[in-house]
Amino acid sequence: MTEKISKICWNDHKWTKPSGTNGKSPSTDSYENIVGYGHEEWLLDKSKIVDGFHYGFLQPLNLKTDRHVDNTYKVWLYTITGRQKFLVGYIDKAICISKDESTETFKTYKRNGWIKEMVTDLENAGINATNLKETPATIFFNVKFKVKDIKLNDDFLRLSSKDKNLTTTRYKLLDKVADFKFEEVKEKGTDGYSRKLVAETFVDPYHNKIQNTLSKILRASGQFKNIQVEKNNVDVQATSNNNELHFFEIKTDTAKNNIRQAVGQLFEYSFYPTTTKANKLIVVGDEEPSREVKNYIKHLREQTGLKIFYRWLDMDKHLLSPEL
């Protein structure tokens, strides 16, 4: 499959909604500086699915010609903030769509109230939404992909200034001609930069979808009783038929990051201040962990003696994995 590289604007909310002007280009000539956002800020909003696909926008595909339409690419995503380039991850099978498909998808978004949500997202970020409202339906979207094809790095990877792929920092679709070259941070400067996505500092509607689906699956399984959502801040808790209390903490990042973000919360929910409430602590994500992550969660159990597990939820098929 042809591999391409696309620049996306900086975003503090994992590209699920606009995060404001923080980290954006300081250039007064740049689009994101002029209007305060980039249309790709909703690129990874997994909560909005149409016929099995999430639709998004990549500025490098915003062309007058249709030369990319119907092509499928592996698209690597990178971003720039504070004059430093970071590799975010990739979309494995990004399908370039026509203006007609964009128009039909726009109609669906409008019927579902999602356009209004996007306007509200901008307004909540302190950004004038006029530009979004005036964007033609024909170019509102230009790419679609399956949620399972989103592959983000656990941490941002700092790209070298000598990387052969990035021949321009403009919003141009680039060919991947070589392996990416990364910088080693030998000495930390005083300018500051971010290397990670901000962990859940807002209510993610996709998180809520997973929460609702997980609750339904647990109820339908016949293996649990007394299933409760958001009791004492626990995403989902349920009592098994053998009277064991399970705490489920949902995260929507990579599997490794999900464990990183969830474990502290699960410990607090179960053990603070001096009690033990849950028999099992379960991290729930929406993608199958790699072999390394599976070994990691097993290693955590062995080293701590705690019953901590990982389960992943296939949102397309509404299937919950066994405990890993």
Side-chain angles (χ1 to χ4, degrees):
M1 183 182 297
T2 303
E3 297 188 46
K4 299 288 187 180
I5 304 170
S6 175
K7 178 183 174 182
I8 54 178
C9 69
W10 179 263
N11 182 280
D12 289 325
H13 293 329
K14 299 186 283 190
W15 291 273
T16 60
K17 70 175 184 177
S19 59
T21 57
N22 180 55
K24 297 292 196 297
S25 170
S27 172
T28 55
D29 295 331
S30 68
Y31 181 87
E32 62 193 76
N33 185 284
I34 294 170
V35 303
Y37 75 101
H39 285 268
E40 65 271 32
E41 302 219 42
W42 296 271
L43 181 66
L44 305 181
D45 179 3
K46 301 175 183 178
S47 69
K48 297 175 175 62
I49 305 297
V50 179
D51 295 330
F53 288 94
H54 172 63
Y55 284 76
F57 178 92
L58 289 172
Q59 183 59 39
L61 293 176
N62 186 27
L63 305 176
K64 292 182 179 179
T65 67
D66 293 334
R67 65 191 180 96
H68 292 299
V69 172
D70 294 332
N71 287 340
T72 299
Y73 302 129
K74 178 177 181 179
V75 180
W76 293 87
L77 306 171
Y78 82 98
T79 189
I80 300 177
T81 186
R83 299 181 181 178
Q84 180 60 57
K85 307 182 195 75
F86 293 95
L87 188 67
V88 174
Y90 63 90
I91 300 170
D92 194 32
K93 296 173 184 174
I95 305 169
C96 306
I97 67 169
S98 66
K99 291 178 173 60
D100 286 343
E101 188 167 356
S102 174
T103 300
E104 290 305 310
T105 304
F106 181 88
K107 291 177 182 176
T108 301
Y109 262 58
K110 196 167 185 179
R111 284 195 303 270
N112 291 345
W114 294 343
I115 301 298
K116 287 184 178 180
E117 283 185 22
M118 295 171 75
V119 169
T120 300
D121 288 342
L122 286 174
E123 293 173 344
N124 289 341
I127 299 168
N128 189 313
T130 300
N131 181 272
L132 182 74
K133 294 175 183 177
E134 294 178 349
T135 301
T138 53
I139 61 170
F140 207 88
F141 307 100
N142 55 26
V143 66
K144 68 179 181 180
F145 46 87
K146 299 280 190 178
V147 165
K148 66 180 179 63
D149 289 327
I150 300 171
K151 310 293 183 182
L152 299 185
N153 295 323
D154 294 320
D155 298 324
F156 284 171
L157 302 177
R158 190 168 181 161
L159 287 159
S160 169
S161 58
K162 298 178 181 179
D163 187 279
K164 294 180 180 180
N165 298 289
L166 306 185
T167 54
T168 178
T169 56
R170 299 182 68 84
Y171 283 89
K172 180 181 178 182
L173 196 67
L174 301 173
D175 294 319
K176 185 173 184 292
V177 298
D179 291 338
F180 288 107
K181 186 175 180 64
F182 303 106
E183 284 187 4
E184 292 185 11
V185 183
K186 297 179 180 178
E187 185 175 323
K188 292 187 176 180
T190 57
D191 292 338
Y193 68 91
S194 295
R195 69 184 181 93
K196 295 185 180 75
L197 298 169
V198 174
E200 298 187 359
T201 55
F202 62 95
V203 177
D204 182 355
Y206 184 62
H207 175 283
N208 295 343
K209 276 192 169 184
I210 295 178
Q211 193 175 41
N212 293 336
T213 302
L214 174 61
S215 300
K216 290 177 182 177
I217 290 174
L218 294 179
R219 288 189 178 94
S221 70
Q223 298 174 3
F224 294 92
K225 54 190 176 183
N226 195 27
I227 297 163
Q228 299 180 77
V229 175
E230 297 292 352
K231 182 181 179 182
N232 298 324
N233 295 321
V234 181
D235 281 339
V236 178
Q237 55 181 287
T239 304
S240 67
N241 290 337
N242 62 348
N243 292 317
E244 286 189 342
L245 181 60
H246 295 199
F247 281 179
F248 298 83
E249 182 62 25
I250 298 165
K251 297 297 176 184
T252 60
D253 208 314
T254 65
K256 181 181 174 184
N257 280 349
N258 289 343
I259 296 171
R260 176 188 295 168
Q261 295 165 16
V263 166
Q265 287 178 263
L266 285 167
F267 281 7
E268 179 181 319
Y269 298 154
S270 184
F271 304 128
Y272 182 87
T274 57
T275 60
T276 300
K277 303 180 185 72
N279 301 94
K280 286 188 178 181
L281 308 176
I282 301 168
V283 183
V284 179
D286 70 335
E287 64 176 42
E288 183 176 6
S290 65
R291 180 178 298 178
E292 282 187 347
V293 173
K294 291 176 182 177
N295 288 336
Y296 173 50
I297 197 74
K298 180 181 177 183
H299 185 58
L300 284 180
R301 283 198 299 276
E302 292 171 346
Q303 293 300 308
T304 65
L306 297 173
K307 293 182 178 181
I308 184 164
F309 300 89
Y310 195 99
R311 301 186 75 171
W312 69 282
L313 184 57
D314 186 327
M315 288 295 284
D316 287 335
K317 300 177 180 177
H318 285 201
L319 293 175
L320 183 64
S321 78
E323 294 171 353
L324 302 175

